[in-house]
Amino acid sequence: MFDALKAQPQDKILQLIAMFREDTRADKIDLGVGVYKDPTGLTPVMRAVKAAEKKLWEAETTKTYTALAGEPAYNMAMRRMILDGVVAEDRLASVATPGGTGAIRQALELVKLADPKATVWLSAPTWPNHPSIIKYLGIPMAEYRYFDAASGGVDFAGMMEDLGRVKPGDVVLLHGCCHNPTGANLSADQWAEAVELLAGRGALPLVDLAYQGFGDGLEADAAATRLVAESFPEVLIAASCSKNFGIYRERTGILIAVSKDAEATKITQGNLAFLNRQNYSFPPDHGARVVTVILEDAVLTADWKAELEEVRLNMLGLREQLAEELRKATNSDRFDFVAHHRGMFSRLGLTEAQVNRLREEHGIYMVGDSRINIAGLNAKTVPVLARAVASVL
């Protein structure tokens, strides 16, 4: 049987990680992998997470299975953090998932279960795993324009023109904040226009909220998701705790479904539990319990928010420094957009040949489309990157 299997294409980011590890240059710089790093290059365990794990270790008495949907307390805490009551609780169904990727997968499984013919619309570009999962599930897919490479901003006119072709029942995947891979985000006014258009078209929004707290702040980063949630009868929200709680390897996520009324919510909840059972039965629990302990303890919540803000401001400072260093190195304002982007990523607008030169000549590793992880830099390496970029232009 296995003789019939075909080799799968390598994941470009994982391939880049392997290349970086094999590079023996001491001054190499990794801007490819999508994890936060502090100025020392460490992805630290947050203070509140350490404290919550200690409390959990002391209080936990069993490792038996959790519920199919995950612990109710975790689901409630996450719904409150993300939505803050903008939608009535009796309209919300949710399940814990293995990370944000698991939430996206379950959301798309639910879409296929409900309407196999529904088209899922993706921004161009988007996170590569979005189209990969959609293709694997055999779901129809379309793209809407999003990124303007010339300005480094959002092609809003093109986006709105393309979304004007969305059909009733189609699913539109939206990045709730900190767009991956571009770093370019809609303004509040643009979000309002897009929501009005999509509501008029009868679309079902699927919001990918992987970076809440990494952009403009925990509450500001949830604003667009809350607007979407209160503006449609049905919404899907896939959220991750990997970044904002720093618990990448714990695989902690959630899928929230907004239904039109309480009766519909019961059916949606049952289907979400069914899909969990088919795919992995019970979701991972350790990370979810850590998050719950933090969000239910006022002192730990305050400390977590403070450290998360430190992380956000560090990335913002690196953005501003990089934009300034690029301005000096290139004697132009070509890269000023970097300071206006938000989150871990920015797409620099370099060619693949230029990206290859950066790797080969300077030991600077980034994804082929020139997406860089801002958090992979520090105050000392920012000027190094700027000078290297200028040398390959």
PDB file of all heavy atoms in Angstrom, residues 42-64:
ATOM      1  N   LEU A  42      16.097  34.252  23.281  1.00  0.00           N
ATOM      2  CA  LEU A  42      15.352  33.207  23.982  1.00  0.00           C
ATOM      3  C   LEU A  42      13.847  33.413  23.809  1.00  0.00           C
ATOM      4  O   LEU A  42      13.362  34.541  23.813  1.00  0.00           O
ATOM      5  CB  LEU A  42      15.701  33.231  25.469  1.00  0.00           C
ATOM      6  CG  LEU A  42      14.966  32.239  26.382  1.00  0.00           C
ATOM      7  CD1 LEU A  42      15.417  30.807  26.084  1.00  0.00           C
ATOM      8  CD2 LEU A  42      15.212  32.580  27.854  1.00  0.00           C
ATOM      9  N   THR A  43      13.120  32.323  23.661  1.00  0.00           N
ATOM     10  CA  THR A  43      11.656  32.357  23.744  1.00  0.00           C
ATOM     11  C   THR A  43      11.303  31.981  25.179  1.00  0.00           C
ATOM     12  O   THR A  43      11.244  30.796  25.529  1.00  0.00           O
ATOM     13  CB  THR A  43      11.023  31.369  22.750  1.00  0.00           C
ATOM     14  OG1 THR A  43      11.451  31.698  21.419  1.00  0.00           O
ATOM     15  CG2 THR A  43       9.507  31.446  22.813  1.00  0.00           C
ATOM     16  N   PRO A  44      11.087  32.968  26.029  1.00  0.00           N
ATOM     17  CA  PRO A  44      10.996  32.696  27.468  1.00  0.00           C
ATOM     18  C   PRO A  44       9.639  32.137  27.891  1.00  0.00           C
ATOM     19  O   PRO A  44       8.630  32.321  27.198  1.00  0.00           O
ATOM     20  CB  PRO A  44      11.219  34.082  28.083  1.00  0.00           C
ATOM     21  CG  PRO A  44      10.661  35.027  27.068  1.00  0.00           C
ATOM     22  CD  PRO A  44      10.950  34.413  25.726  1.00  0.00           C
ATOM     23  N   VAL A  45       9.624  31.456  29.029  1.00  0.00           N
ATOM     24  CA  VAL A  45       8.377  31.099  29.693  1.00  0.00           C
ATOM     25  C   VAL A  45       7.937  32.318  30.488  1.00  0.00           C
ATOM     26  O   VAL A  45       8.697  32.842  31.307  1.00  0.00           O
ATOM     27  CB  VAL A  45       8.559  29.888  30.626  1.00  0.00           C
ATOM     28  CG1 VAL A  45       7.237  29.553  31.317  1.00  0.00           C
ATOM     29  CG2 VAL A  45       9.085  28.681  29.850  1.00  0.00           C
ATOM     30  N   MET A  46       6.734  32.787  30.245  1.00  0.00           N
ATOM     31  CA  MET A  46       6.270  34.006  30.901  1.00  0.00           C
ATOM     32  C   MET A  46       6.124  33.787  32.410  1.00  0.00           C
ATOM     33  O   MET A  46       5.861  32.674  32.877  1.00  0.00           O
ATOM     34  CB  MET A  46       4.943  34.464  30.289  1.00  0.00           C
ATOM     35  CG  MET A  46       5.058  34.803  28.816  1.00  0.00           C
ATOM     36  SD  MET A  46       3.496  35.321  28.059  1.00  0.00           S
ATOM     37  CE  MET A  46       3.452  37.058  28.557  1.00  0.00           C
ATOM     38  N   ARG A  47       6.305  34.864  33.160  1.00  0.00           N
ATOM     39  CA  ARG A  47       6.257  34.781  34.633  1.00  0.00           C
ATOM     40  C   ARG A  47       4.933  34.195  35.115  1.00  0.00           C
ATOM     41  O   ARG A  47       4.901  33.309  35.987  1.00  0.00           O
ATOM     42  CB  ARG A  47       6.457  36.172  35.235  1.00  0.00           C
ATOM     43  CG  ARG A  47       7.796  36.822  34.919  1.00  0.00           C
ATOM     44  CD  ARG A  47       7.935  38.141  35.659  1.00  0.00           C
ATOM     45  NE  ARG A  47       6.907  39.123  35.302  1.00  0.00           N
ATOM     46  CZ  ARG A  47       7.040  40.055  34.359  1.00  0.00           C
ATOM     47  NH1 ARG A  47       8.184  40.119  33.662  1.00  0.00           N
ATOM     48  NH2 ARG A  47       6.075  40.908  34.106  1.00  0.00           N
ATOM     49  N   ALA A  48       3.845  34.681  34.569  1.00  0.00           N
ATOM     50  CA  ALA A  48       2.522  34.220  35.007  1.00  0.00           C
ATOM     51  C   ALA A  48       2.312  32.750  34.664  1.00  0.00           C
ATOM     52  O   ALA A  48       1.641  32.022  35.406  1.00  0.00           O
ATOM     53  CB  ALA A  48       1.435  35.077  34.373  1.00  0.00           C
ATOM     54  N   VAL A  49       2.880  32.304  33.562  1.00  0.00           N
ATOM     55  CA  VAL A  49       2.765  30.898  33.179  1.00  0.00           C
ATOM     56  C   VAL A  49       3.502  30.021  34.184  1.00  0.00           C
ATOM     57  O   VAL A  49       2.988  28.985  34.626  1.00  0.00           O
ATOM     58  CB  VAL A  49       3.311  30.672  31.759  1.00  0.00           C
ATOM     59  CG1 VAL A  49       3.444  29.184  31.449  1.00  0.00           C
ATOM     60  CG2 VAL A  49       2.406  31.343  30.733  1.00  0.00           C
ATOM     61  N   LYS A  50       4.713  30.438  34.577  1.00  0.00           N
ATOM     62  CA  LYS A  50       5.471  29.693  35.592  1.00  0.00           C
ATOM     63  C   LYS A  50       4.682  29.592  36.900  1.00  0.00           C
ATOM     64  O   LYS A  50       4.584  28.526  37.516  1.00  0.00           O
ATOM     65  CB  LYS A  50       6.810  30.391  35.850  1.00  0.00           C
ATOM     66  CG  LYS A  50       7.903  30.067  34.851  1.00  0.00           C
ATOM     67  CD  LYS A  50       8.508  28.699  35.129  1.00  0.00           C
ATOM     68  CE  LYS A  50       9.794  28.495  34.344  1.00  0.00           C
ATOM     69  NZ  LYS A  50      10.337  27.133  34.560  1.00  0.00           N
ATOM     70  N   ALA A  51       4.124  30.729  37.312  1.00  0.00           N
ATOM     71  CA  ALA A  51       3.370  30.757  38.568  1.00  0.00           C
ATOM     72  C   ALA A  51       2.116  29.899  38.476  1.00  0.00           C
ATOM     73  O   ALA A  51       1.763  29.179  39.420  1.00  0.00           O
ATOM     74  CB  ALA A  51       3.006  32.199  38.924  1.00  0.00           C
ATOM     75  N   ALA A  52       1.425  29.961  37.327  1.00  0.00           N
ATOM     76  CA  ALA A  52       0.211  29.168  37.147  1.00  0.00           C
ATOM     77  C   ALA A  52       0.525  27.681  37.128  1.00  0.00           C
ATOM     78  O   ALA A  52      -0.219  26.870  37.692  1.00  0.00           O
ATOM     79  CB  ALA A  52      -0.488  29.581  35.857  1.00  0.00           C
ATOM     80  N   GLU A  53       1.641  27.309  36.498  1.00  0.00           N
ATOM     81  CA  GLU A  53       2.028  25.902  36.471  1.00  0.00           C
ATOM     82  C   GLU A  53       2.342  25.389  37.879  1.00  0.00           C
ATOM     83  O   GLU A  53       2.021  24.243  38.208  1.00  0.00           O
ATOM     84  CB  GLU A  53       3.225  25.711  35.542  1.00  0.00           C
ATOM     85  CG  GLU A  53       2.862  25.793  34.068  1.00  0.00           C
ATOM     86  CD  GLU A  53       4.016  25.468  33.146  1.00  0.00           C
ATOM     87  OE1 GLU A  53       5.132  25.968  33.391  1.00  0.00           O
ATOM     88  OE2 GLU A  53       3.805  24.725  32.176  1.00  0.00           O
ATOM     89  N   LYS A  54       2.936  26.233  38.687  1.00  0.00           N
ATOM     90  CA  LYS A  54       3.222  25.823  40.064  1.00  0.00           C
ATOM     91  C   LYS A  54       1.922  25.601  40.834  1.00  0.00           C
ATOM     92  O   LYS A  54       1.777  24.597  41.551  1.00  0.00           O
ATOM     93  CB  LYS A  54       4.069  26.888  40.767  1.00  0.00           C
ATOM     94  CG  LYS A  54       4.485  26.487  42.167  1.00  0.00           C
ATOM     95  CD  LYS A  54       5.380  27.549  42.816  1.00  0.00           C
ATOM     96  CE  LYS A  54       5.780  27.127  44.227  1.00  0.00           C
ATOM     97  NZ  LYS A  54       6.631  28.137  44.889  1.00  0.00           N
ATOM     98  N   LYS A  55       0.979  26.532  40.690  1.00  0.00           N
ATOM     99  CA  LYS A  55      -0.318  26.379  41.359  1.00  0.00           C
ATOM    100  C   LYS A  55      -1.029  25.125  40.874  1.00  0.00           C
ATOM    101  O   LYS A  55      -1.619  24.376  41.668  1.00  0.00           O
ATOM    102  CB  LYS A  55      -1.198  27.607  41.100  1.00  0.00           C
ATOM    103  CG  LYS A  55      -0.739  28.879  41.803  1.00  0.00           C
ATOM    104  CD  LYS A  55      -1.710  30.032  41.566  1.00  0.00           C
ATOM    105  CE  LYS A  55      -3.042  29.770  42.233  1.00  0.00           C
ATOM    106  NZ  LYS A  55      -3.928  30.970  42.176  1.00  0.00           N
ATOM    107  N   LEU A  56      -0.950  24.894  39.581  1.00  0.00           N
ATOM    108  CA  LEU A  56      -1.611  23.733  39.004  1.00  0.00           C
ATOM    109  C   LEU A  56      -0.973  22.447  39.502  1.00  0.00           C
ATOM    110  O   LEU A  56      -1.674  21.482  39.860  1.00  0.00           O
ATOM    111  CB  LEU A  56      -1.532  23.818  37.471  1.00  0.00           C
ATOM    112  CG  LEU A  56      -2.223  22.729  36.663  1.00  0.00           C
ATOM    113  CD1 LEU A  56      -3.703  22.674  36.977  1.00  0.00           C
ATOM    114  CD2 LEU A  56      -2.005  22.971  35.165  1.00  0.00           C
ATOM    115  N   TRP A  57       0.346  22.419  39.555  1.00  0.00           N
ATOM    116  CA  TRP A  57       1.063  21.234  40.025  1.00  0.00           C
ATOM    117  C   TRP A  57       0.688  20.902  41.465  1.00  0.00           C
ATOM    118  O   TRP A  57       0.522  19.728  41.829  1.00  0.00           O
ATOM    119  CB  TRP A  57       2.566  21.480  39.914  1.00  0.00           C
ATOM    120  CG  TRP A  57       3.401  20.325  40.385  1.00  0.00           C
ATOM    121  CD1 TRP A  57       3.639  19.161  39.728  1.00  0.00           C
ATOM    122  CD2 TRP A  57       4.089  20.241  41.634  1.00  0.00           C
ATOM    123  NE1 TRP A  57       4.450  18.348  40.480  1.00  0.00           N
ATOM    124  CE2 TRP A  57       4.739  18.985  41.667  1.00  0.00           C
ATOM    125  CE3 TRP A  57       4.236  21.096  42.728  1.00  0.00           C
ATOM    126  CZ2 TRP A  57       5.501  18.568  42.747  1.00  0.00           C
ATOM    127  CZ3 TRP A  57       5.004  20.675  43.804  1.00  0.00           C
ATOM    128  CH2 TRP A  57       5.619  19.432  43.805  1.00  0.00           C
ATOM    129  N   GLU A  58       0.523  21.933  42.268  1.00  0.00           N
ATOM    130  CA  GLU A  58       0.207  21.715  43.682  1.00  0.00           C
ATOM    131  C   GLU A  58      -1.239  21.295  43.894  1.00  0.00           C
ATOM    132  O   GLU A  58      -1.548  20.560  44.843  1.00  0.00           O
ATOM    133  CB  GLU A  58       0.484  23.001  44.471  1.00  0.00           C
ATOM    134  CG  GLU A  58       1.973  23.341  44.569  1.00  0.00           C
ATOM    135  CD  GLU A  58       2.220  24.689  45.208  1.00  0.00           C
ATOM    136  OE1 GLU A  58       1.268  25.505  45.275  1.00  0.00           O
ATOM    137  OE2 GLU A  58       3.366  24.949  45.629  1.00  0.00           O
ATOM    138  N   ALA A  59      -2.146  21.747  43.001  1.00  0.00           N
ATOM    139  CA  ALA A  59      -3.572  21.503  43.213  1.00  0.00           C
ATOM    140  C   ALA A  59      -4.122  20.324  42.410  1.00  0.00           C
ATOM    141  O   ALA A  59      -5.131  19.724  42.806  1.00  0.00           O
ATOM    142  CB  ALA A  59      -4.373  22.766  42.876  1.00  0.00           C
ATOM    143  N   GLU A  60      -3.475  19.970  41.315  1.00  0.00           N
ATOM    144  CA  GLU A  60      -4.011  18.949  40.425  1.00  0.00           C
ATOM    145  C   GLU A  60      -3.949  17.572  41.072  1.00  0.00           C
ATOM    146  O   GLU A  60      -2.924  17.172  41.623  1.00  0.00           O
ATOM    147  CB  GLU A  60      -3.218  18.949  39.110  1.00  0.00           C
ATOM    148  CG  GLU A  60      -3.902  18.221  37.981  1.00  0.00           C
ATOM    149  CD  GLU A  60      -3.206  18.451  36.651  1.00  0.00           C
ATOM    150  OE1 GLU A  60      -1.958  18.388  36.607  1.00  0.00           O
ATOM    151  OE2 GLU A  60      -3.905  18.697  35.657  1.00  0.00           O
ATOM    152  N   THR A  61      -5.053  16.837  40.974  1.00  0.00           N
ATOM    153  CA  THR A  61      -5.135  15.521  41.617  1.00  0.00           C
ATOM    154  C   THR A  61      -5.328  14.383  40.628  1.00  0.00           C
ATOM    155  O   THR A  61      -5.303  13.208  41.026  1.00  0.00           O
ATOM    156  CB  THR A  61      -6.306  15.493  42.618  1.00  0.00           C
ATOM    157  OG1 THR A  61      -7.529  15.782  41.926  1.00  0.00           O
ATOM    158  CG2 THR A  61      -6.086  16.503  43.739  1.00  0.00           C
ATOM    159  N   THR A  62      -5.550  14.696  39.356  1.00  0.00           N
ATOM    160  CA  THR A  62      -5.786  13.641  38.378  1.00  0.00           C
ATOM    161  C   THR A  62      -5.329  14.076  36.985  1.00  0.00           C
ATOM    162  O   THR A  62      -5.240  15.271  36.700  1.00  0.00           O
ATOM    163  CB  THR A  62      -7.279  13.264  38.322  1.00  0.00           C
ATOM    164  OG1 THR A  62      -7.465  12.179  37.393  1.00  0.00           O
ATOM    165  CG2 THR A  62      -8.133  14.443  37.888  1.00  0.00           C
ATOM    166  N   LYS A  63      -5.051  13.088  36.148  1.00  0.00           N
ATOM    167  CA  LYS A  63      -4.744  13.322  34.748  1.00  0.00           C
ATOM    168  C   LYS A  63      -5.754  12.593  33.856  1.00  0.00           C
ATOM    169  O   LYS A  63      -5.460  12.249  32.715  1.00  0.00           O
ATOM    170  CB  LYS A  63      -3.331  12.832  34.413  1.00  0.00           C
ATOM    171  CG  LYS A  63      -2.214  13.661  35.022  1.00  0.00           C
ATOM    172  CD  LYS A  63      -2.109  15.031  34.381  1.00  0.00           C
ATOM    173  CE  LYS A  63      -0.890  15.786  34.904  1.00  0.00           C
ATOM    174  NZ  LYS A  63      -0.783  17.129  34.294  1.00  0.00           N
ATOM    175  N   THR A  64      -6.960  12.389  34.351  1.00  0.00           N
ATOM    176  CA  THR A  64      -7.979  11.733  33.551  1.00  0.00           C
ATOM    177  C   THR A  64      -8.416  12.647  32.416  1.00  0.00           C
ATOM    178  O   THR A  64      -8.071  13.833  32.373  1.00  0.00           O
ATOM    179  CB  THR A  64      -9.192  11.350  34.422  1.00  0.00           C
ATOM    180  OG1 THR A  64     -10.044  10.483  33.669  1.00  0.00           O
ATOM    181  CG2 THR A  64      -9.982  12.575  34.862  1.00  0.00           C
TER     182      THR A  64
END
